[in-house]
Amino acid sequence: MDLDKHDSAASGPERPLKPAASPAPGGAIRASDADRDRIADILRDALAEGRLDAEEHSERIDAVYRAKTVGELEPIVADLPAAGPRAEGAAVRAYDDSADPGGPAENLVAVFSSSTRKGRWRVGRRTNAFSLFGNIEIDLTEALYGQRLSVINATSIFGNVEVRVPENISLRGSGTGIFGNFEVVTLEAADPEAPVVVVNGYTIFGNVEAKPKRGRRISDLHDRLRKHLH
C-alpha cells in the first residue's frame, strides 16, 4: 500500500488558506467618544467665534452624536478651522473650556410658581429653564463664568422666562414663539475673550426674553475669573 496516498486521502482535499481581512478604509473606522468630542469642540469654538449661529450649531451637534464612523464626522466641520493648541506666550485665558465637559445641567423649574437665579453665582455650561404658568428670572450680571460658552435652553408654556446679561459679554440665540414671544437681543462683545451666552428654546402662549441689562458691566471680568479659578 502506498502510505503517502493513504494519508493524503484520509486528510481530505487540501483547503486554501482564508485571506486575512483587509483593514477598513480610514473613513469607515467606527467613531469613538473621543472622536465625537473632538468634533464637538470645533463646533463649540465656531459658535463662540460667530462662525455658526445657534441653529446651525444645534443641527451639527445632533449630526455629531448620530454619526457612527469617522467618515461621517469629518464633513460636519469641513468648512471650519480645526481646533488647535494655543500658541505659547498668548494671554492666559480667564476660564477653562476643557474642564467638566460633560457636567450635569442646572435645572430651573417654575410650575404655577417663580424661580430666580441671580447674584454672585457660578454659571454652568448648560442651564435648562422650564416655566409652566410660572416665571423664571436668570440674572447673569454678577455671575462668575468658568467657561467661555454657556447655553441656556428655555421653554415657556403660558409662562415667562427672562434672561439678563451684562453689557460687555456676547449674547446670541434662536427659538420659536407659538402664539407667544421669543426674543434674544444679539450682543457682540468688543473683547474677544469675553464669555458667550446662547439662549435657545421655544414658547407656547408665553414669553422668553434675553437681553443686556442697561448700565451693568463687569469691569474687571478677567481678573475676577482668574482669582476665582486659581
Side-chain angles (χ1 to χ4, degrees), residues 15-95:
R15 296 181 181 179
L17 294 176
K18 184 177 180 180
S22 57
I29 295 174
R30 299 287 290 191
S32 68
D33 288 342
D35 292 327
R36 295 186 183 89
D37 289 344
R38 175 177 59 85
I39 300 300
D41 285 346
I42 295 174
L43 294 176
R44 179 200 64 206
D45 289 345
L47 175 63
E49 293 166 359
R51 298 179 190 274
L52 297 177
D53 61 30
E55 184 176 356
E56 290 172 319
H57 177 263
S58 178
E59 290 174 354
R60 296 197 191 196
I61 282 291
D62 287 345
V64 166
Y65 290 103
R66 287 197 307 267
K68 301 297 184 184
T69 66
V70 173
E72 292 176 84
L73 288 174
E74 296 303 336
I76 298 173
V77 293
D79 58 343
L80 299 173
R86 304 285 178 183
E88 290 187 10
V92 177
R93 295 187 65 88
Y95 24 70

Side-chain angles (χ1 to χ4, degrees), residues 108-223:
L108 299 175
V109 179
V111 179
F112 290 97
S113 63
S114 64
S115 179
T116 302
R117 199 73 162 94
K118 64 181 181 179
R120 194 176 179 83
W121 62 290
R122 186 180 177 89
V123 183
R125 291 181 180 275
R126 291 177 295 126
T127 301
N128 299 324
F130 176 78
S131 174
L132 175 63
F133 289 100
N135 182 71
I136 295 177
E137 179 186 356
I138 302 175
D139 189 334
L140 303 174
T141 57
E142 297 180 20
L144 295 170
Y145 300 83
Q147 63 285 320
R148 187 177 184 207
L149 176 62
S150 301
V151 178
I152 298 174
N153 299 309
T155 302
S156 176
I157 302 174
F158 291 97
N160 182 59
V161 177
E162 294 184 0
V163 180
R164 296 293 180 264
V165 303
E167 292 185 314
N168 56 337
I169 74 168
S170 294
L171 175 64
R172 302 172 189 151
S174 65
T176 303
I178 302 174
F179 296 104
N181 175 61
F182 189 103
E183 180 183 6
V184 175
V185 178
T186 301
L187 180 67
E188 291 297 330
D191 185 348
E193 291 293 309
V196 178
V197 174
V198 176
V199 180
N200 297 323
Y202 67 93
T203 176
I204 301 175
F205 290 101
N207 177 66
V208 172
E209 182 181 83
K211 64 182 182 180
K213 197 169 186 176
R214 286 186 177 276
R216 300 305 297 267
R217 298 176 62 86
I218 303 177
S219 59
D220 57 343
L221 177 64
H222 286 188
D223 291 340

